[in-house]
Amino acid sequence: MSSLAASCHSVPGMRREGLPTVALIGSPNVGKSTLFNALTGLSALTTNYPGTTVEVAVGTASVGQHLVQVLDLPGTYGLTAAAEDERIAWDALLRSRPDAVIAVADATNLARNLYLVLQLLDLGFPVIVALNLSDAAERSGLRIDARRLEELLGVQVVPTVATTGRGLREIATRIATVLGAAPRPRHRYDRDLEHAVAELSTRADRAGAFIALERNGDAASYLEPATFATLRDATAAWAARLEGSSGEPVRVRVARARHVLADRLAAQVTVGDVELRSRQAWRVATRPWTGIPLLAMVLAAVFALLFWGGSLLAGVVDRMWVQYASPLIRTLVYGAAGEGIAARTLLWGVDAGLNAVLSVGLPYVFTFYLLLAVLEDTGYLNATAVILDRTLGRMGLTGRAAIPLVAGAGCNVPAIIGLRVLRTERERLIAGTLITLTPCSARTAVIFGAVARFLGWPWALALYAIVTAVILGAGWGLNRLMPGRGSTLLMEIFPFRVPGVRTVLRKTWYRVREFAFVAVPIVLGGSIVLGALYETGWMRYAAMPLAPIVGGWLQLPAVAGLTLVFAVLRKELALQLLVALAIAQFGAGADDLRTFMSGPQIFTYALVNTIYVPCVATIAVLSKALGWRRAALISVGTVTLAVLLGGIVIRILQ
Amino acid sequence: MPPSCQRLSRLREGARGVIDAVPFDSGADDFAALRLLPGELLEVIQVIPLGGPVLIRCRGGFYALGRQLADKIWIRV
């Protein structure tokens, strides 16, 4: 790849010096991430691609005698489109110049997937093809001759089943053999195109010729300046000739040639034809009059399981904590730090704080992720995206946003991490804002514990109705206000599948781990800060500047305003803290909120708590996903909205 | 457009045709990689009512296309 721009552009912060790099690339939903997780085990971490909000996962794997760094690039169908995730995949490939590329192809749709493989070979990368979903292909009657495909392409082809681990070891041993090797692709396109490429290759090489032909807009940034200068005029002439004979842009002309060749190759190695199985089930799931009731039932089941399974797990963990961990921690802390303010402050973190993560957070998050993985792997979320596309379209989103939005009702943190499935910055920003407005399980606990308990169910439902209206209104408004246009859906659809137990558990585990890494330190730190303010009695002063807003505009007791401020550390804490402070101030009977707050006050309190920015953990992931400026903007925006709405609601109710 | 050309969004379930034009200039979508190219055969397998997406099959595979996108794709029936 001598003609490509020098590697002084190697991607900062993503490449660990000294280790060979292997990039994983493939269409969305072919099992690329499953393969990545299986290869890299526990080492994987996600980072933002420099200068963007698109996340790229990086991990290490040992292959034979080598340790290699593995990049999991965003799912992409090809490498020429302007969509942000495709541009990143393209950029990461050319700038970080991996020593090997594993192209993950869907064996049930070989021809279309070979398009990307051919494109990679045209760019001169040492490629290994992982023929994934080969079990699904066999089940639907397709037989693919991998050896023959190897001969035709001149690269190694390994049938894999990422979900069971079949073919993984072979991939690992093959990686070692291709690292840095000069690829010798054998495929050739039609005569006219090959003629043009051969002519251009005399000035650069094959990869340079394809870049110059296909990226007429920005080829200059990927080629050596000297190469680009010698290629420019010749490229223009050859492009004009190819366009003249075909009547279409040269980019399309090349794409078509690739599809024609991919078709021929696939036909030579495949026996059988594939149908979209379970078409009847798809109809039921996507027609409004059956699909919407089905969706409502699935969501109801998810929440029922969440509350039942989550609270069951939470109860077990909490009992074990109170019985074993808490006494031990207390003995240790009191032993080490005495029984003063310092020790009590520390206990807010290491006892109450950790307990909150383990027994309040993790059981619900685990249950939710488990259900989410099942829904994803059955392909039902794929169908959900189709049925919700129209509704989400009014908010500038596409059906793809359905998944993160649903996840937000469990916990905002993983939902925001899930924003990476959205294709444009605009969509991620709108969906990110809407997720922060979606009541997560912690806020639901406050709504249930304050409103439903003391005012009754109808009031809790009314609160949900207001929040839903706020979410719909915010989405509609943002779509109107933000520059740019909403995107439209273009998504591959898949048959329903029976999910594999191992994949589901593995996926769940990776996500829970990711959540724990983000949430535990923040909750721990936040609880200690809160404890310090509480134990020293400084909390009272912290609330003073807010008195005009809390007492004047929202008409809430000062003690309630205080807990609203500190609930930013952990939302479910608002209510616990309110009861604790109220008992300290008004005496033992104050655990019934009605002794010191009116009905409208309780309602307003829960409403403000629900709408203003979720919690510090959410702000942290939000600034990772969208940048800190936007995270700050969303935070300030939701606080303003919560205060305005709270003041209006209490005036209407009183 | 010849008279037999229709927008993809106007076709009914089960309709087949040949792609006549796709909005390449609209930028982000990779029609080329998905094989949604002029001259390719296409079959409408399902239309989600109330302005929902159109599900199609072509040689590239099975896709869901938002109605606005389907509006800009012309099919020779």
Side-chain angles (χ1 to χ4, degrees), chain A residues 109 112 256 259 275 286 489 491, chain B residues 32 38 46 57 60 63-64 66:
Chain A
N109 187 3
R112 220 284 317 292
R256 195 186 289 281
H259 280 301
E275 252 298 307
T286 51
L489 187 71
M491 182 184 81
Chain B
Q46 200 182 333
R57 178 192 193 171
Y63 304 120

Side-chain angles (χ1 to χ4, degrees), chain A residues 575-593:
Chain A
L575 193 59
Q576 298 165 17
L577 203 60
L578 181 61
V579 172
L581 293 179
I583 289 175
Q585 197 172 335
F586 305 113
D591 59 340
D592 185 340
L593 300 183

Side-chain angles (χ1 to χ4, degrees), chain A residues 339-363:
Chain A
E339 298 214 357
I341 287 180
R344 290 206 303 273
T345 300
L346 203 58
L347 282 177
W348 273 76
V350 294
D351 185 14
L354 279 184
N355 185 21
V357 179
L358 290 178
S359 65
V360 180
L362 281 182

Side-chain angles (χ1 to χ4, degrees), chain A residues 77 81 83 86 109 112 115 252 255-256 259 263 274-276 283 286-288 386 390 488-493, chain B residues 13 24 28 30 32-35 37-38 45-46 48-51 53 57 59-60 62-66 68-69:
Chain A
Y77 299 110
E86 284 194 27
N109 187 3
R112 220 284 317 292
Y115 177 89
V252 179
R256 195 186 289 281
H259 280 301
D263 236 10
V274 74
E275 252 298 307
L276 181 64
R283 279 180 184 276
T286 51
R287 275 171 194 268
V386 169
R390 177 80 186 120
T488 49
L489 187 71
L490 177 51
M491 182 184 81
E492 198 170 2
I493 56 179
Chain B
E13 285 185 14
F24 281 119
D30 204 348
L34 293 173
R35 207 170 177 173
L37 293 170
I45 56 175
Q46 200 182 333
I48 311 297
L50 312 172
R57 178 192 193 171
R59 281 202 289 181
F62 295 90
Y63 304 120
L65 283 77
Q68 280 170 301
L69 192 60

Side-chain angles (χ1 to χ4, degrees), chain A residues 394-396 430 434 470-480:
Chain A
R394 292 180 193 277
M395 302 191 267
I430 295 178
L434 300 190
V470 165
I471 292 174
L472 293 175
W476 184 83
L478 280 173
N479 187 33
R480 285 273 171 297

Side-chain angles (χ1 to χ4, degrees), chain A residues 507-529:
Chain A
K507 211 180 222 178
T508 308
W509 163 240
Y510 283 112
R511 286 176 173 167
V512 168
R513 205 173 51 112
E514 200 169 357
F515 168 79
F517 277 162
V518 176
V520 170
I522 292 174
V523 171
L524 203 63
S527 302
I528 290 178
V529 170

